[in-house]
Amino acid sequence: MNRAVRIQGTFVHTQRLGNLEILHDYLLVTDSTGVIAHFEAADSAQSQAALSSYAEPCITLPPGHFILPNFVDLHLHAPQFLYQGNGLHLPLMEWLNEYAFKAEERLDGDAALARRVYTRLARRLIQDGTGTVLLFGTIKEHTNLVLAEVMQKAGLRAFVGKLSMDISSRPSYMESSAQTSLQAAHSFVEKCRDLTASLPTHERLVEPVLTPRFVPTCSDELLVGLGKLSAAENLKIQSHLAEAHDQVEVVRSERGVEDIQVFDRSGLLTARTIQAHCTFLDVPSFKHVHSCGTSIAHCPLSNSYFSAEPFRLREALDEGVQIGLGTDIAGGYSLDLMNSMRHAVSISRMRQGAKIMAGLTDDDGKTLAIDWKEALYLATKGGAAALGLMTGVFAVGSPFDAQEICVFDSRGGGVGALDFFDHEGPGAVADPSVTIEMVEKWWCLGNAVNRTGMWVQGA
Ligand code: XAN
C-alpha cells in the first residue's frame, strides 16, 4: 500500500510542555511508508521543488482547517467498553467485582460479542481522533487476538495487553497458577507478533504488552516472572499503581508494603513500563519513577470517581516524569480524550485553588494548575513519548499520525458547537486563518463534528 501524503495548510502541534505552534501555510510530504520526509513553509525553495516533483495530488486545506497530531489514549480497558457509562457508584474494589470482572469474563466466553464490541470501539476511537491506544484486554488469549486483529484492520496503532492475574475475588475469572499465567503471557506475545509478521514493518500497527492487572490480583511469583519475560523479550509493561484508597489498603494489609515496592522488586518499574493513575505517589516516589524511566498514564475522570485524591500532576511533571492521558474506559465514562484533557485542567485548577485557600504561595511562581496547551501536549506528544513513539509532533523522520480539524467554514461560520461572532456578517474577514483563540475555543467546545480526517502512518 502506498502511504504517500502531500498536504499544504495550517499545522498545529506542541513539541514541549506549554509550547504550542501554529504553522500557517506549511507543506508536509511523506514517503511511501507514511513517514514525514519534508515539513517546511510552503514558500521555501525546497517546498516549491517538492510541490512540483511529486505525482500525487496535494491536499490543500481550506482556511479554518488545521492538522493536529492524533490523540494517544494511554489507558483503556477494551472489554469494559461493553458497559461504558454504567455502574460508577461503587468504590474501586467492589466495582471491579460487580462490573469489570463480569464483563471481561463475558467477552472471554463469547468471541462474537467480543468482536462486535471491539469493532465498535475502533470506530468510536477514530471518530474521537485517537490514533494510538494502550489497551488492557481480558485473560483469554483468543479474545485478545481478536482485539489485536480488529485494531490492526481498523488502521489504529494499538498496544494490546492480555491480562495476567492469578488471584481474583471472582474464582471463575483468574488463571490457575503463576506458571500457567506466565506461559499464557508468553504464548500471547508470540501469537500477537505472528499476526503482523508477514507485513512490511511500517504496516505493523499492533504490539503485545505484558499486563499484570495490579498488585492485588498478581502473586509475587507471577510479577517476578513477568519482569523477567519483559527484560528477555524487550516487552512493554502496563499496570495500575497507587490508584485508589481501598486498593492501597488491600496491598498494605496483604503484602505489608506499598505497591510501588512490589513492582520495583519484581523488575516491573522499567523504561518500558506505563503505570496508570499513581494518585497516591509523592515527590520522592516521582523521583524514583523518573529514575526508572517509567511513564504515567494520568486518568483524571476515573480518579474523580475512585481515587479520593487528585493525582499530583504538576509535581510529577516537575520531576521530569513522562506523562500521557488515559480515558480509563470504563472507570472513566468518556472515550473522547478531549474530555480527559479538560478534566486534567479542571482538577489541576482545583488543586491550585485549594493551595491558595490554604494560604500557601507558589514557589518560584510555579502553579499546580496546568493550562490547555499543556494538556494538549500530554494528549499528543506526552502519550507518544511514553510509548517510545516518534509521533505526536510533525517532524522529518516521524510517522504521519494526524487528524484534520475544521473550526470555521467560510460559508457557514463556526463549525459544530463553535461560534465566532467577529468573523460573521458584514465587514467580517471572508476567510480568516486559524488563530490561537480559535484553537483554544475548539479545545474547550469541540467534538467529533469538527474532525474531518485522520491518518495513521500516512493512511
Ligand atoms: N485497577 C483498575 N482500575 C480501573 O479503573 N479499572 C480496572 O479494570 C482496574 N483493575 C485494577
Side-chain angles (χ1 to χ4, degrees):
M1 176 199 233
N2 183 0
R3 291 171 175 256
V5 179
R6 223 165 22 137
I7 304 182
Q8 182 173 353
T10 300
F11 292 79
V12 176
H13 66 174
T14 154
Q15 305 201 57
R16 291 186 313 283
L17 192 70
N19 156 277
L20 180 98
E21 288 174 284
I22 302 182
L23 303 162
H24 290 296
D25 199 19
Y26 259 57
L27 177 70
L28 182 145
V29 182
T30 75
D31 63 19
S32 61
T33 69
V35 171
I36 300 172
H38 175 94
F39 185 56
E40 270 182 38
D43 61 2
S44 76
Q46 286 87 342
S47 290
Q48 289 303 308
L51 273 172
S52 53
S53 65
Y54 286 86
E56 293 88 21
C58 182
I59 300 168
T60 305
L61 298 180
H65 288 233
F66 62 90
I67 302 287
L68 180 82
N70 283 335
F71 297 136
V72 177
D73 190 336
L74 208 51
H75 189 63
L76 193 164
H77 292 264
Q80 296 174 19
F81 187 59
L82 180 68
Y83 68 97
Q84 173 202 27
N86 284 134
L88 282 167
H89 57 288
L90 294 173
L92 177 69
M93 299 303 277
E94 287 174 47
W95 173 84
L96 285 172
N97 199 44
E98 275 304 309
Y99 290 94
F101 293 176
K102 278 185 195 163
E104 292 170 20
E105 189 175 17
R106 194 173 153 208
L107 260 60
D108 265 351
D110 186 343
L113 177 63
R115 188 171 293 278
R116 204 149 61 82
V117 171
Y118 294 158
T119 303
R120 183 80 52 84
L121 172 65
R123 197 196 315 155
R124 294 250 185 245
L125 285 168
I126 292 167
Q127 279 173 1
D128 286 338
T130 297
T132 296
V133 58
L134 176 56
L135 295 165
F136 272 62
T138 56
I139 289 178
K140 209 167 157 186
E141 178 175 281
H142 178 71
T143 322
N144 296 298
L145 290 173
V146 169
L147 176 59
E149 190 196 311
V150 166
M151 292 293 144
Q152 171 74 33
K153 203 162 153 211
L156 287 164
R157 207 179 281 289
F159 295 81
V160 180
K162 188 206 96 63
L163 280 183
S164 299
M165 48 190 279
D166 61 346
I167 302 170
S168 176
S169 54
R170 187 171 176 83
S172 56
Y173 190 60
M174 60 184 275
E175 291 164 302
S176 58
S177 70
Q179 283 311 314
T180 312
S181 178
L182 286 169
Q183 278 159 13
H186 198 244
S187 169
F188 172 69
V189 167
E190 286 184 346
K191 295 207 175 112
C192 186
R193 284 174 171 165
D194 283 351
L195 270 184
T196 57
S198 63
L199 297 174
T201 319
H202 66 274
E203 301 214 349
R204 295 178 197 164
L205 297 177
V206 296
E207 182 181 316
V209 184
L210 295 182
T211 307
R213 178 172 215 126
F214 65 158
V215 170
T217 58
C218 299
S219 66
D220 283 342
E221 186 184 350
L222 174 55
L223 293 172
V224 169
L226 290 172
K228 287 187 182 146
L229 181 57
S230 165
E233 297 272 337
N234 193 26
L235 288 160
K236 290 188 176 53
I237 302 155
Q238 60 177 340
S239 193
H240 302 83
L241 171 58
E243 176 183 2
H245 254 301
D246 49 349
Q247 171 259 310
V248 167
E249 286 308 324
V250 166
V251 176
R252 279 184 193 146
S253 70
E254 289 179 355
R255 311 272 171 121
V257 287
E258 302 295 315
D259 53 358
I260 188 167
Q261 292 164 283
V262 180
F263 282 119
D264 209 6
R265 71 187 184 202
S266 309
L268 290 168
L269 286 188
T270 74
R272 302 177 301 281
T273 308
I274 294 105
Q275 287 285 4
H277 307 299
C278 300
T279 322
F280 292 92
L281 295 193
D282 56 10
V283 169
S285 299
F286 289 141
K287 285 189 198 301
H288 184 60
V289 165
H290 177 244
S291 73
C292 295
T294 294
S295 301
I296 294 176
H298 174 36
C299 309
L301 180 56
S302 133
N303 289 169
S304 305
Y305 280 85
F306 289 142
S307 293
E309 263 187 38
F311 171 58
R312 295 166 178 80
L313 174 57
R314 175 63 74 199
E315 293 89 327
L317 289 168
D318 283 349
E319 292 307 322
V321 180
Q322 192 63 60
I323 299 173
L325 295 179
T327 57
D328 196 14
I329 293 296
Y333 53 77
S334 171
L335 191 69
D336 188 344
L337 212 69
M338 294 193 68
N339 287 328
S340 305
M341 288 196 278
R342 294 165 185 151
H343 289 298
V345 169
S346 303
I347 290 176
S348 74
R349 290 181 65 92
M350 292 292 278
R351 289 192 71 219
Q352 174 65 8
K355 183 176 154 188
I356 290 168
M357 295 299 283
L360 300 170
T361 51
D362 296 336
D363 303 332
D364 310 324
K366 280 185 188 157
T367 169
L368 296 180
I370 64 159
D371 65 22
W372 68 271
K373 292 179 225 151
E374 291 177 300
L376 191 58
Y377 170 88
L378 298 179
T380 54
K381 175 81 169 78
L387 289 164
L389 300 172
M390 289 175 70
T391 55
V393 288
F394 303 118
V396 170
S398 299
F400 182 57
D401 283 25
Q403 48 184 316
E404 180 183 343
I405 303 294
C406 172
V407 288
F408 190 88
D409 174 334
S410 52
R411 278 163 305 171
V415 171
L418 312 185
D419 292 296
F420 298 103
F421 294 105
D422 288 341
H423 296 296
E424 293 172 6
V429 179
D431 281 329
S433 56
V434 174
T435 62
I436 190 152
E437 289 78 17
M438 288 181 180
V439 180
E440 183 184 17
K441 195 183 269 262
W442 160 80
W443 184 92
C444 285
L445 300 168
N447 56 39
V449 174
N450 300 99
R451 194 160 291 107
T452 47
M454 186 168 163
W455 298 261
V456 173
Q457 192 88 31

